[in-house]
Amino acid sequence: MFLRGGRTISVLTVGAATTVMAALTPATAFAAGDPLQPYAQQRLRWERCDTGHPAAFECAKVKVPLDYGDPGGRKIDLAISRIKAGSARERHGVLLMNPGGPGGPGLTMPVEMEPLLPTEVRERFDLIGFDPRGVGQSSPIGCDLTGDEQTFHHPYDAGTFEKDVARARTVADKCWAKAGDVLPHITTRNTARDMDVVRAALGERKISYFGHSYGTYLGAVYTQMFPRRSDRFVLDSALDPALAWRGLFRGWSAGAELAFTRWTEWAAARNATYGLGSTQAEVRKTYWELIARADHTPVPVQGGTLSGGAIRSQYGAFVHVETVTPWIVALKTAAAGGSPAPATPTAAMVPDSVPVRTADTGAGAAAFGADVPSDNASAVVWAVFCGDSRSWPRDPEQYRQDAIRDQAKYPLAGDLGANIQPCAFWKSAGSEPATAVSNDVNALIVQNQWDPQATLAMAQGMRRALQGARMVTVAGGEGHGVVVAGPSCADASVTRYLTTGRLPAKDLTC
């Protein structure tokens, strides 16, 4: 779940630099005798990130242990960035930020988020970005995956299932052969521990936080592990921590079916314009006839063809009814011999919950810095999803049965979410128990009603886990992201919370 917009990850450059030693107190450092104490005392060398960003945008590297079970052992670099608070007098602290993923680079988030935050928030917080361990400029990993191996959704078919099993096994084998020395340590819990080292190295007693999508789960895990160090946490487009992680894949299907049903009603009411059918049943029939035809003869699109499964894999677009409907019309025309259709409804409509492969986005190593593997996002996705949780079955037959069952219940995307994934063959799946999130830490959840990836049901699961939180739901909101998408009716609650610490008195719908 990435922020879009052609992000270029900054590479630390040589320039005028300042060395800062945070003034540590017992409250900001680790407890006496804690083996992590030396990490709190490290010197941060802040430099201008690059000439393509404002001089106020600074970068530094923080040392963290690769293995928190052996903090005196191997160390890795964590790239962090900041834009200082606008007012020294009004400054409240630091606001760490994560864009999602997992696998999403966050080093440039201060620059990206600064225009989206009101002045009173920018005055109070140092905006802190970071690339999580294994990502971008933070000791990145790769698996040498092909484009097909970086594709996350594969429709279930009895005739191709063995191929799907072989692909999943190959991805796991490649990752362990290429990065097996670090894979067991690329987990959400370790990223949360990294955040706490950053807190201490910055000389802060507590951190505030903004997380989008997967970043909401990361934030929730931090509050569970470090509740006394958690200040003001804004969780934008939240995931249900109880679904980590196979439950998340399967959980998309129910939301997709609701959005699809809503779309058929919308399109039927506009049959005179689009010609897809005058009733919901007719629109549904038109769509499934298109899918069947595309599975037999892939539909010509700009740059290639799309099978029925490939068309279905963009199920997240159905929440954007005005965008997806012309695309379905164009696919129908192309299938009947007309001009090739666009390959996607729009680039922004590609599901954001998992990174799409490089060939689909045009992004590559150049977008992340020459030293970052082109499959970095995919490698980190599987490291986190597989390493976080023991919820992935080991028996391929279980995936087959679940795909058949979910396909019958949720025809649009049930098999896409339930089909076999590399986690079935991951060597260290669940090296730590999954984090059970249940606390009363202060937090604010903001959520679009029709978010296709962090669905409303998922956000409600996060709300149940965080008993001290409040939730603001944007009625009719369709995108994957509230604050990150720009102005909305939730903004006032976010601003009030970040500037005063006061949550709404109750959950709201606006």
Side-chain angles (χ1 to χ4, degrees):
M1 293 157 279
F2 300 113
L3 295 177
R4 303 289 182 181
R7 169 191 288 117
T8 299
I9 298 303
S10 303
V11 180
L12 297 181
T13 58
V14 176
T18 58
T19 300
V20 177
M21 175 59 184
L24 293 172
T25 69
T28 62
F30 297 102
D34 192 316
L36 292 177
Q37 181 61 21
Y39 292 94
Q41 296 172 333
Q42 63 187 296
R43 296 178 180 272
L44 303 186
R45 184 179 178 85
W46 290 102
E47 300 178 320
R48 182 174 179 176
C49 293
D50 62 26
T51 57
H53 288 105
F57 182 46
E58 302 175 298
C59 288
K61 290 288 182 76
V62 176
K63 294 288 185 183
V64 296
L66 173 65
D67 181 359
Y68 277 90
D70 180 21
R74 179 179 170 185
K75 300 173 179 61
I76 59 174
D77 285 326
L78 200 72
I80 67 171
S81 61
R82 74 176 177 188
I83 295 177
K84 290 182 180 179
S87 169
R89 183 173 62 87
E90 298 292 333
R91 183 183 183 278
H92 176 76
V94 297
L95 183 70
L96 270 69
M97 295 179 286
N98 180 273
L107 201 61
T108 56
M109 279 198 77
V111 172
E112 294 164 349
M113 290 297 296
E114 188 180 29
L116 300 177
L117 298 172
T119 300
E120 53 265 48
V121 172
R122 298 198 304 269
E123 287 181 343
R124 285 168 169 79
F125 290 97
D126 294 350
L127 305 182
I128 306 294
F130 69 103
D131 284 351
R133 57 171 51 209
V135 176
Q137 298 301 308
S138 293
S139 306
I141 64 170
C143 299
D144 289 339
L145 301 178
T146 67
D148 182 54
E149 290 163 354
Q150 293 182 63
T151 302
F152 291 83
H153 286 315
H154 298 280
Y156 171 78
D157 183 274
T160 61
F161 182 68
E162 292 306 317
K163 178 182 177 182
D164 295 337
V165 172
R167 181 194 299 109
R169 189 189 302 274
T170 297
V171 171
D173 289 346
K174 279 188 172 184
C175 284
W176 281 92
K178 183 74 174 179
D181 57 333
V182 298
L183 284 184
H185 309 293
I186 307 295
T187 65
T188 299
R189 287 178 64 85
N190 280 335
T191 299
R193 293 176 176 118
D194 291 343
M195 289 167 55
D196 203 52
V197 170
V198 170
R199 172 201 62 78
L202 292 174
E204 298 292 328
R205 189 171 64 88
K206 292 185 175 185
I207 61 169
S208 294
Y209 177 82
F210 173 85
H212 173 239
S213 201
Y214 163 77
T216 67
Y217 177 73
L218 173 61
V221 169
Y222 184 91
T223 68
Q224 191 68 33
M225 296 176 68
F226 307 103
R228 295 184 180 180
R229 298 170 187 169
S230 303
D231 192 4
R232 302 170 187 179
F233 274 51
V234 176
L235 308 181
D236 184 346
S237 309
L239 304 179
D240 185 348
L243 297 181
W245 282 116
R246 187 164 189 246
L248 175 76
F249 278 68
R250 298 180 72 183
W252 288 326
S253 304
E257 210 66 41
L258 289 173
F260 181 69
T261 298
R262 171 175 172 256
W263 170 74
T264 61
E265 181 180 12
W266 188 92
R270 293 159 180 80
N271 183 52
T273 301
Y274 298 108
L276 296 176
S278 59
T279 67
Q280 286 184 265
E282 289 177 357
V283 173
R284 191 179 293 267
K285 181 173 182 288
T286 297
Y287 176 79
W288 285 109
E289 285 177 346
L290 169 65
I291 297 302
R293 185 168 186 170
D295 276 332
H296 183 269
T297 305
V299 177
V301 297
Q302 296 163 6
T305 60
L306 290 179
S307 66
I311 295 170
R312 285 197 294 122
S313 73
Q314 300 192 51
Y315 59 82
F318 279 106
V319 301
H320 305 278
V321 292
E322 294 182 354
T323 302
V324 74
T325 311
W327 184 60
I328 298 299
V329 173
L331 289 171
K332 184 170 176 284
T333 300
S339 300
T344 65
T346 71
M349 296 303 110
V350 177
D352 256 353
S353 293
V354 293
V356 291
R357 57 193 171 101
T358 303
D360 291 334
T361 64
F368 297 102
D371 57 337
V372 180
S374 61
D375 67 341
N376 178 230
S378 300
V380 174
V381 160
W382 294 125
V384 172
F385 281 162
C386 303
D388 269 6
S389 171
R390 299 169 183 168
S391 64
W392 299 91
R394 293 297 197 176
D395 182 3
E397 187 59 28
Q398 184 65 56
Y399 291 90
R400 184 202 300 272
Q401 294 173 9
D402 289 344
I404 293 171
R405 185 181 303 111
D406 287 9
Q407 187 176 44
K409 189 173 183 180
Y410 305 115
L412 183 63
D415 58 319
L416 297 174
N419 204 359
I420 194 163
Q421 300 290 3
C423 300
F425 306 105
W426 212 252
K427 292 183 180 179
S428 70
S431 54
E432 286 189 272
T435 304
V437 176
S438 178
N439 62 57
D440 59 0
V441 170
N442 187 315
L444 179 64
I445 302 166
V446 290
Q447 181 71 25
N448 281 328
Q449 180 184 7
W450 288 102
D451 189 319
Q453 298 301 313
T455 66
L456 182 59
M458 292 178 185
Q460 290 166 341
M462 177 68 82
R463 175 65 183 87
R464 289 190 296 270
L466 298 177
Q467 294 92 19
R470 294 292 183 270
M471 180 167 160
V472 178
T473 303
V474 179
E478 295 181 339
H480 181 50
V482 179
V483 177
V484 299
S488 80
C489 61
D491 289 352
S493 294
V494 173
T495 299
R496 185 182 307 112
Y497 173 58
L498 286 175
T499 55
T500 69
R502 293 198 303 269
L503 289 167
K506 60 181 180 179
D507 293 348
L508 303 173
T509 298
C510 64

